[in-house]
Every structure is written in structure tokens, then in C-alpha cells.
Amino acid sequence: MKAAQAQPVTAELRRWIVQQSQAGHGADLILKSMLTSGWTAEVAIAALQASMPGHADGSASAQALPPRVTVPEPSLEGSPLYLETGDRRVCVLQSVLQPRLHVFGNLLSDSECDALIALARPRLARSLTVQTTTGGEEINADRTSNGMFFQRGENELIKRLEARIARLLNWPLENGEGLQILHYRPGTEYKPHYDYFDPAEPGTPSILRRGGQRVATLIMYLGEPEKGGGTIFPEAQLEVAPKRGNAVFFAYDRAHPSTRTLHGGAPVLAGEKWIATKWLRERRFE
Ligand code: PD2
Ligand code: ZN
């Protein structure tokens, strides 16, 4: 099935839904399939309700979609070219509506990038990801970089950057996870994924006890490769160049693919890539 550009609830879409339902597929599965095909959540739910009167109360759709939450947002009313963050003037380079995404320039100075790399280098280990089946951590074949985490407020540089990020994104510093540093060598990558914790996984409730869901990601580029290594957003058909000092920010107001925040780190083809990632939670993260 292919999503239409303007996304009206077409007769073709309604026929397809009826066929799926007659084939015995439940409303949740049909909704998931429509979202995967690129329909927005609003259109998909309207089409379901119109085509499956038995589900017209929308309860299946409501169950399939986690609740919407407030997310960090930079102050971009009036489309300013620059944002003041207290100690640094950040450039607004590019914005996308779906996913909610902004590319920033001049977020970090060269010396801040160098200092983060120097502090992180001796502490690097093969990257782990949170294992949503149990809430623990595991080595992940989809992520071939090396990484480490700074504690929040660990040193003066980290404190300064955390305060800058909190001002830039209008989100409490206490809701941020510790800064993560990743180092990619040629051939390494981070396959496309969502950064929120999958509500369907059994380990997720225990992860969420610490600060709730992740609601946004800020990826800062510290060291640029010569070739490759962009941050890719396949659903938005967007690739952000890993330019030193720049950053890409994206927010997800529900833990669901309808946010179109699927993203990955493309393989580094030459040189080395260094990033710092700040994940932001709904609430205070301890
Ligand atoms: O290195 C990247 O570009 C990248 C891509 C996807 C980083 C992350 N995800 C992440 O840190 O979550
Ligand atoms: Zn990610």
C-alpha cells in the first residue's frame, strides 16, 4: 500500500481496510500497517473509524497509540536565524515538521569538541544499548561504535554544555540523561532505530520508572569523518551531515513510529566520526 501525498481518506484506502478486516486482521494490526506505509496517525484512525464501524469508538486505535506528551521545543516563533543560549549564539540551519527536527550550527566550539573527545577516549568501550526485554544492557550488533557515558554534572565542561542545551531546548537540565559519547571508525554504523523505549517490550516499564519516556534526542557532532557517517532519517528522506560543532535535534511526542523519527548513523566510509548524544526524558532523570 502506498500513502497519498495529501493523505485524504480515499475510497481505495477504505476498501483496503475492509479487505484486511474480512481477512481476519484486527484493527491494531491494520493501523500499524497503515502507519508503516506512511499514513499519518490522524488519517489512519479516521479511515479505520469510517471503514470499520464496529471499531468506530476508536478504542482499538487509542490502544494502538501511546498517549501524546509534551516535548522540548526551541523558541523558533518568528523563524529566528540565531538562538541565544546564555553563553553561545547558536545558528538555526534547517527545520522539518514531520519528524519535528532542527539542525543547529555553532552549538559547540572546536575546543569543546576536542575536550569531550580527550576526556572520553580513555573510557571508551563497545557500545551497549538498553535491552528492552529485561531493562538491562546488551551489546548490539546494529551499533558497531565504541562509547561511554558522562555522569550529569560530572565536570565544569559537562555542566556548561548541559546548561546550554537546557536553554536551547527549553527543557529542564534534570530531565536529561548523562551525555553519551560515540566513536565510529571506518565501516562502523548505527542501523536505523527509534530512541524511545518500545511500550510493547516487557522491560520497558522498569526503564520508565527512571524519568519516564525519552521524548527527544540531540546528536552533536564532535569530530567529522572524511566520507559517510551522516545521520539518516529514512522516512523523511533526510541526511544530516556530521559537521563538527553542529547538531541535529528531534522530538517524539509519543512512543510510536507515527512520529517518523526512525533514524540511523550511516556507515563511516573514511576517517573517524565522534558524536555526543543527549537524550531527554519526560521527567527528572536520576
Ligand atoms: O551517530 C549517529 O548519527 C546516530 C544515529 C542514530 C546516533 C544515534 N542514533 C543515537 O545516539 O541515538
Ligand atoms: Zn538514535
Side-chain angles (χ1 to χ4, degrees):
M1 193 185 29
K2 202 162 173 290
Q5 282 281 308
Q7 299 213 316
V9 179
T10 60
E12 186 199 357
L13 177 61
R14 288 176 59 167
R15 259 195 310 278
W16 179 84
I17 293 171
V18 171
Q19 280 165 6
Q20 297 304 304
S21 174
Q22 285 168 346
H25 301 307
D28 285 4
L29 189 67
I30 300 174
L31 177 64
K32 207 169 166 196
S33 165
M34 282 190 280
L35 295 171
T36 308
S37 300
W39 296 93
T40 64
E42 284 69 22
V43 173
I45 291 167
L48 258 185
Q49 289 175 345
S51 317
M52 295 175 68
H55 295 275
D57 63 2
S59 60
S61 319
Q63 277 165 25
L65 283 179
R68 230 188 252 284
V69 295
T70 305
V71 296
E73 276 200 64
S75 304
L76 290 173
E77 316 75 52
S79 303
L81 261 65
Y82 301 99
L83 289 171
E84 294 298 342
T85 61
D87 68 339
R88 199 165 175 86
R89 196 171 203 224
V90 174
C91 312
V92 183
L93 297 180
Q94 192 178 18
S95 294
V96 176
L97 281 178
Q98 250 218 322
R100 286 176 194 223
L101 178 152
H102 304 286
V103 179
F104 297 117
N106 196 43
L107 177 57
L108 302 176
S109 68
D110 283 352
S111 60
E112 288 168 338
C113 294
D114 288 341
L116 285 174
I117 292 173
L119 289 167
R121 196 187 283 279
R123 292 163 59 180
L124 291 176
R126 175 74 195 268
S127 295
L128 301 173
T129 40
V130 178
Q131 191 180 23
T132 43
T133 46
T134 62
E137 285 189 319
E138 62 179 356
I139 286 205
N140 183 342
D142 288 346
R143 191 190 209 184
T144 45
S145 54
N146 284 319
M148 57 78 68
F149 274 94
F150 286 106
Q151 293 286 323
R152 212 172 52 216
E154 182 176 322
N155 57 44
E156 288 310 310
L157 171 62
I158 295 289
K159 279 187 199 156
R160 184 167 83 229
L161 298 181
E162 286 173 341
R164 188 182 299 163
I165 292 167
R167 279 277 295 264
L168 176 71
L169 303 176
N170 298 311
W171 203 248
L173 188 153
E174 297 75 24
N175 294 19
E177 296 182 29
L179 204 62
Q180 182 195 236
I181 307 294
L182 287 184
H183 177 215
Y184 299 81
R185 292 182 188 281
T188 59
E189 66 182 312
Y190 195 171
K191 296 234 171 82
H193 59 274
Y194 297 97
D195 280 354
Y196 55 74
F197 302 108
D198 184 347
E201 291 288 351
T204 295
S206 106
I207 297 168
L208 300 191
R209 256 177 250 135
R210 236 179 132 196
Q213 260 295 358
R214 284 181 177 161
V215 289
T217 304
L218 179 72
I219 298 173
M220 294 163 273
Y221 304 105
L222 309 178
E224 39 186 73
E226 284 145 42
K227 285 185 187 168
T231 304
I232 50 169
F233 293 81
E235 292 160 323
Q237 301 194 11
L238 175 73
E239 176 163 352
V240 178
K243 175 103 190 79
R244 180 173 160 97
N246 287 8
V248 59
F249 164 77
F250 52 99
Y252 20 102
D253 63 0
R254 48 170 51 125
H256 197 272
S258 59
T259 55
R260 293 183 174 247
T261 53
L262 184 70
H263 66 289
V268 170
L269 302 176
E272 296 182 12
K273 171 186 170 189
W274 288 85
I275 61 160
T277 301
K278 181 63 126 177
W279 286 295
L280 303 166
R281 298 288 189 107
E282 285 176 274
R283 296 184 288 280
R284 191 182 176 90
F285 178 81
E286 293 302 347

